Amino acid sequence: RSTEVGLAAEIQWGLLPPLTFDSPQVAVAGLLEPAYDVAGDSIDYAVDPGVARIAIFDGMGHGLDSAQLAILSVSAYRNARRSGFSLTATASAVDQAVESTFGGDAYSTAVLAELDTETGYLTWVNAGHPEPLLLRSGQLIRSLHLDPGLPFGIGLHDTDHRYEVGTDQLEPGDHVLFYTDGVVEGHSPDGEQFGVERLVDLLARNVADSLSAAESMRRVGRALIAHHAAHLADDASMLLVQWPGPPRDAA
């Protein structure tokens, strides 16, 4: 550590899984900034035989209250995931946990996803969050569009509101980027927004250079910090997932 870590950030870093994971099934790399003050953003993933489960959260507000919201969201997600819930049931469980605890006064946007690591079949739900980006051979193919559901904690879990499930088929070598709005909406000291186009260009060039997911995240993170002159006004988080392809014995 080169400076004092805020209490909210201390809580967040204790909650996180390793930011880098690489296996024959899948590669995962995450980034949270500002590292010493992050509060409401969080990421989570789990890799089991045949499936990788991924989540990214962006809780409202800043400081300790926001960190507590992140803890609750991630813990409710892990509890539902470990209980074998479907994506829609998991989303509803997180929604209920946040609403019952905060009474509609706080909310979190999120994307929850599952990747079949044998086939490359991706499914996800979107709770009011920026759409993930699909990159192939160093180029942006598309954003993973899905009419978003309500953020977790709005207080409508006892109505007919349900989270829809999006689906897409990945190809070997594809990357999917999950990110929070703090990445693209932040401005430099002279007022220039970082933006989706800049994010995609940086990431696409790294992917085209055949860099690992972890190195790609490191370089994008450095560019993000440089753009903001090391002073981010909001949490900025990313989770990059690469699917190498089906198992060799299944190819």
Side-chain angles (χ1 to χ4, degrees):
R1 297 183 179 186
S2 59
T3 189
E4 183 178 352
V5 176
L7 177 56
E10 191 77 64
I11 292 171
Q12 277 286 50
W13 285 104
L15 180 69
L16 292 173
L19 291 186
T20 301
F21 176 86
D22 200 351
S23 76
Q25 295 185 75
V26 69
V28 181
L31 178 143
L32 277 80
E33 293 289 352
Y36 291 92
D37 291 309
V38 66
D41 283 12
S42 196
I43 57 177
D44 193 48
Y45 67 88
V47 180
D48 295 311
V51 62
R53 299 178 176 90
I54 302 107
I56 186 166
F57 300 89
D58 185 355
M60 65 172 285
H62 301 279
L64 190 56
D65 288 344
S66 190
Q68 292 173 325
L69 173 59
I71 290 172
L72 178 64
S73 300
V74 173
S75 297
Y77 166 70
R78 288 176 175 172
N79 179 255
R81 185 191 74 208
R82 292 164 178 167
S83 298
F85 288 9
S86 67
L87 272 177
T88 53
T90 298
S92 294
V94 179
D95 178 43
Q96 291 180 32
V98 174
E99 194 279 328
S100 62
T101 302
F102 291 93
D105 293 330
Y107 64 86
S108 176
T109 68
V111 173
L112 315 180
E114 293 184 358
L115 172 64
D116 186 318
T117 54
E118 294 185 356
T119 67
Y121 189 67
L122 181 71
T123 56
W124 73 95
V125 298
N126 187 327
H129 200 81
E131 296 178 345
L133 305 174
L134 173 62
L135 292 99
R136 179 174 300 149
S137 301
Q139 295 184 350
L140 175 66
I141 299 301
R142 57 183 168 273
S143 59
L144 299 182
H145 177 70
L146 176 68
D147 290 338
L150 295 171
F152 297 143
I154 292 297
L156 298 178
H157 68 262
D158 56 350
T159 71
D160 292 331
H161 174 70
R162 289 182 56 84
Y163 291 95
E164 297 183 10
V165 178
T167 63
D168 211 311
Q169 178 62 53
L170 304 189
E171 295 184 6
D174 279 359
H175 292 73
V176 180
L177 178 68
F178 304 84
Y179 66 97
T180 61
D181 58 11
V183 175
V184 297
E185 293 182 359
H187 292 78
S188 66
D190 62 6
E192 183 182 7
Q193 192 175 61
F194 193 78
V196 174
E197 184 176 347
R198 187 192 309 268
L199 172 62
V200 170
D201 180 64
L202 285 168
L203 185 57
R205 284 192 278 118
N206 291 330
V207 169
D209 288 340
S210 300
L211 298 178
S212 68
E215 180 63 14
S216 295
M217 275 292 90
R218 188 184 73 83
R219 295 192 181 195
V220 172
R222 288 180 62 183
L224 179 67
I225 294 299
H227 179 81
H228 291 272
H231 295 289
L232 278 77
D234 191 12
D235 292 349
S237 301
M238 290 178 277
L239 195 60
L240 181 64
V241 178
Q242 180 189 26
W243 182 59
R248 291 184 179 181
D249 56 3

